[in-house]
């Protein structure tokens, strides 16, 4: 991260150098270095962070950067970036995994559990409530108008994600080539997402001949962290500990899935959702944006849980709530289970589907961090792993660009056709189905995001109001 917002300076420079300028952060930052950060202080900090994690992975990482590195100085800049880089190498939402990792560094397993759970909990509660509202009132004009404004805003937000990630990932011609190749592979030839990521990692590893500078040369001109980077954690990797983590993680997945299969059958929507979203959690390299196109294609075309428009609306809901963007899967599961409840009440089925999906989506993240963190700490300067990471992060730019294309086609046009010819598999819009209102709101969203540099929440709010105004004057919403 290069975001230095909130770094002590100016008038605050006359205070004690290890203490940030604002009172709350100041109280939290006064920690005895020999004792480290108490679990109580850390829990309070993670709770406050969890209420601010809007705006996707970039915004969430920026919040942690400001709260943990710039303000409280609980961890140094280089150490923070080291954790971030390796979290990006793992499948799963990197921002949540970063929270687990830093929580583990500060307070061990308990700290990691608290940080990871709190990071997800507010968003999970919010998405569950918003999903219920959508199912109950989605056909009303007001709700339709809100989503008519939110959909185009999401398109601009995803485009912003492309530019943000590209600035960090595309550091040379090889990375640019990987990004372009990943986009073409997905958008033109429909090559499976996992294959694209694996190939990108291999190419990055093979071409990684430059000196790795992911964390070693990062400037950290603020006060010294409360705990020195090299002393922040001393846990050594052990196969016994790894076995305990693997068994605990396996039980955490097997027990709820076993109950679901035993009570609803192997062909139920709950079994399908639990199995599918477990798989996506294991291949979500590069964060939510990178895998959403794959999830959208499967949820829409294969399982029929949601429509393309509802997939865009679900992402809009995830953008307006705290927590990882991958929480959109909870919305997808809620709608899918509601529409195919089996012998259950639809509302009960929807709640079970949503909660089960959330559980299987995030359990792997805890396992990956608790299992790999001690070993990763021993590989802090491993150039081969970092080279592979460079390839993966470069491919993520192309993957997110493909997601932006997917949302653009289904937001700006009512109908599309899949053109196939040999290996070619390309979605082409019907130009006569262009949505004028969506085009206008999309332009507004891009102006807000780029020239005016407005926040994600403000952009979503303005666009939602545009949708309401369009409905009020009688303009067609679709």
């Amino acid at each position: 991260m290069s975001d230095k917002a909130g770094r002590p300076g100016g008038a605050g420079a006359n205070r004690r150098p290890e203490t940030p300028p604002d009172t709350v952060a100041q109280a939290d930052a006064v920690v005895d270095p020999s004792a480290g950060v108490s679990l109580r202080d850390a829990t309070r900090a993670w709770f406050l962070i969890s209420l601010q994690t809007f705006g996707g992975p970039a915004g969430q990482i920026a919040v942690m950067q400001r709260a943990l590195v710039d303000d409280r100085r609980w961890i140094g800049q280089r150490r923070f970036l080291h954790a971030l880089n390796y979290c990006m190498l793992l499948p799963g939402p990197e921002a949540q995994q970063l929270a687990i990792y830093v929580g583990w560094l500060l307070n061990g397993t308990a700290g990691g559990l608290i940080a990871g759970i709190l990071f997800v909990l507010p968003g999970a509660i919010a998405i569950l409530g918003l999903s219920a509202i959508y199912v109950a009132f989605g056909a009303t004009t007001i709700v339709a108008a809100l989503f008519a404004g939110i959909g185009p805003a999401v398109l601009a937000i995803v485009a912003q994600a492309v530019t943000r990630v590209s600035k960090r990932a595309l550091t040379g011609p090889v990375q640019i080539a990987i990004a372009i190749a990943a986009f073409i592979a997905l958008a033109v030839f429909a090559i499976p997402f996992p294959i694209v990521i694996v190939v990108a990692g291999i190419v990055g590893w093979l071409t990684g001949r430059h000196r790795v500078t992911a964390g070693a040369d990062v400037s950290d001109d603020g006060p010294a962290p409360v705990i020195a980077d090299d002393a922040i954690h001393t846990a050594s990797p052990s196969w016994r500990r790894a076995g305990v983590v693997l068994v605990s993680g396996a039980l955490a997945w097997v027990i709820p899935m076993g109950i679901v299969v035993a009570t609803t059958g192997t062909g139920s929507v709950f079994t399908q959702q639990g199995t599918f979203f477990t798989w996506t959690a294991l291949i979500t390299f590069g964060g939510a944006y990178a895998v959403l196109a794959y999830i959208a294609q499967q949820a829409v075309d294969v399982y029929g849980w949601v429509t393309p428009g509802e997939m865009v609306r679900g992402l809009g809901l995830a953008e307006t709530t705290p927590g990882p963007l991958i929480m959109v899967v909870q919305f997808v599961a809620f709608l899918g289970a509601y529409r195919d409840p089996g012998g259950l009440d639809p509302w009960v089925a929807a709640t079970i589907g949503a909660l089960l999906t959330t559980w299987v989506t995030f359990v792997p993240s805890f396992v990956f961090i608790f299992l790999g963190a001690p070993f990763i700490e021993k590989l802090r300067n491993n150039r081969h792993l970092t080279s592979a990471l460079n390839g993966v992060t470069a491919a993520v730019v192309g993957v997110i660009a493909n997601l932006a294309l997917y949302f653009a086609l289904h937001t700006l046009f009512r109908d599309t056709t899949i053109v196939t010819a040999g290996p070619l598999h390309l979605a082409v819009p019907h130009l006569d189905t262009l949505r004028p209102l969506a085009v206008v709101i999309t332009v507004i969203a891009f102006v807000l995001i780029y020239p005016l540099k407005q926040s994600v929440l403000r952009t979503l709010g303005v666009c939602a109001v545009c949708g309401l105004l369009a409905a009020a004057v009688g303009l067609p919403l679709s």
Side-chain angles (χ1 to χ4, degrees), residues 16 188 281 317 420 454:
R16 293 175 57 188
V188 180
L317 292 180
T420 57
Q454 297 299 306

Side-chain angles (χ1 to χ4, degrees), residues 13-279:
N14 294 326
R15 305 187 183 201
R16 293 175 57 188
E18 72 275 10
T19 310
D22 62 276
T23 305
V24 174
Q26 187 180 41
D28 287 338
V30 180
V31 178
D32 180 5
S34 63
V37 177
S38 73
L39 187 60
R40 179 179 178 179
D41 288 341
T43 301
R44 179 174 179 270
W46 288 116
F47 175 73
L48 294 175
I49 289 172
S50 74
L51 301 179
Q52 305 172 55
T53 51
F54 295 92
Q60 293 156 2
I61 292 168
V63 167
M64 286 186 280
Q65 158 85 28
R66 184 178 64 250
L68 302 174
V69 180
D70 297 335
D71 290 349
R72 293 176 175 85
R73 299 300 296 173
W74 285 352
I75 184 172
Q77 182 72 77
R78 296 184 184 92
R79 206 70 186 82
F80 183 83
L81 285 178
H82 167 74
L84 172 60
N85 287 336
Y86 280 99
C87 286
M88 288 190 66
L89 186 61
L90 298 171
E94 72 267 26
Q96 192 230 6
Q97 289 181 337
L98 178 61
I100 300 171
Y101 199 136
V102 176
W104 175 77
L105 287 174
L106 294 174
N107 301 102
T109 301
L113 287 171
I114 291 172
I117 292 172
L118 286 178
F119 198 89
V120 171
L121 191 60
I125 295 172
I127 290 289
L128 188 63
L130 291 171
S131 300
I133 292 173
Y134 176 81
V135 169
F137 305 106
T140 64
T141 301
I142 292 179
V143 174
L146 286 172
F147 281 114
I150 289 175
V154 169
L155 177 56
I157 292 166
V158 175
Q160 183 190 44
V162 175
T163 58
R164 282 182 170 178
V165 177
S166 64
K167 290 178 181 178
R168 182 176 61 193
L170 306 184
T171 57
V174 172
Q175 286 74 27
I176 294 174
I178 291 175
I180 295 173
F183 174 78
I184 294 174
L186 292 165
V188 180
F189 300 106
I191 295 176
F193 166 78
I195 294 178
V196 173
I197 291 298
V198 170
V199 172
I202 294 173
V203 173
W205 174 64
L206 292 175
T207 58
R209 299 180 180 180
H210 299 288
R211 181 173 180 268
V212 176
T213 60
D217 297 331
V218 175
S219 63
D220 191 7
D221 53 0
V226 171
I227 307 174
D229 288 350
D230 293 333
I232 197 169
H233 204 78
T234 58
S236 299
S238 71
W239 294 112
R240 179 180 179 277
R241 180 185 181 280
V244 171
V245 172
L246 281 175
V247 170
S248 300
L251 289 175
W253 184 86
V254 168
I255 291 175
M257 283 298 299
I259 294 173
V260 165
V261 173
T263 56
T264 66
T266 56
S268 71
V269 67
F270 309 108
T271 302
Q272 290 178 344
Q273 290 178 347
T275 303
F276 172 70
F277 288 116
T278 297
W279 165 243

Side-chain angles (χ1 to χ4, degrees), residues 323-349:
L325 290 180
I326 199 65
M327 288 301 303
V328 67
V329 301
Q330 188 181 37
F331 175 80
V332 173
F334 191 97
L335 267 62
Y338 182 88
R339 291 163 179 168
D340 184 18
L344 298 176
D345 176 84
W347 289 103
V348 174

Side-chain angles (χ1 to χ4, degrees), residues 329-467:
V329 301
Q330 188 181 37
F331 175 80
V332 173
F334 191 97
L335 267 62
Y338 182 88
R339 291 163 179 168
D340 184 18
L344 298 176
D345 176 84
W347 289 103
V348 174
T351 303
I352 292 174
L355 295 179
L356 176 67
T357 293
T358 302
W359 181 263
V360 301
T361 296
F362 291 105
V363 162
S365 291
F366 289 92
V367 175
F368 289 139
I369 295 299
F370 292 144
L371 178 65
F375 295 94
I376 290 171
E377 289 300 300
K378 296 296 182 181
L379 298 172
R380 289 174 60 185
N381 300 314
N382 188 294
R383 292 182 57 187
H384 297 293
L385 283 179
T386 306
S387 296
L389 170 64
N390 290 339
V392 171
T393 51
V396 165
V397 177
V399 174
I400 300 175
N402 178 59
L403 177 66
L405 175 63
Y406 178 90
F407 283 153
L409 291 175
H410 292 288
T411 299
L412 303 179
F413 300 90
R414 286 190 295 273
D415 298 309
T416 60
T417 299
I418 301 296
V419 176
T420 57
L424 186 69
H425 187 93
L426 182 64
V428 178
H430 295 176
L431 298 181
D432 59 340
T433 64
L434 182 69
R435 295 169 167 154
L437 177 62
V439 173
V440 172
I441 297 180
T442 298
V443 172
I444 293 173
F446 270 87
V447 170
L448 290 169
I449 287 286
Y450 284 98
L452 300 182
K453 301 185 183 302
Q454 297 299 306
S455 67
V456 167
L457 281 180
R458 183 167 297 177
T459 300
L460 287 166
V462 171
C463 292
V465 170
C466 289

Side-chain angles (χ1 to χ4, degrees), residues 300-323:
V300 173
D301 300 329
V302 177
Y303 295 103
W305 293 328
V306 293
T307 66
E310 286 174 335
M311 191 70 202
V312 176
R313 294 165 197 160
L315 183 58
L317 292 180
E319 290 278 9
T320 59
T321 54

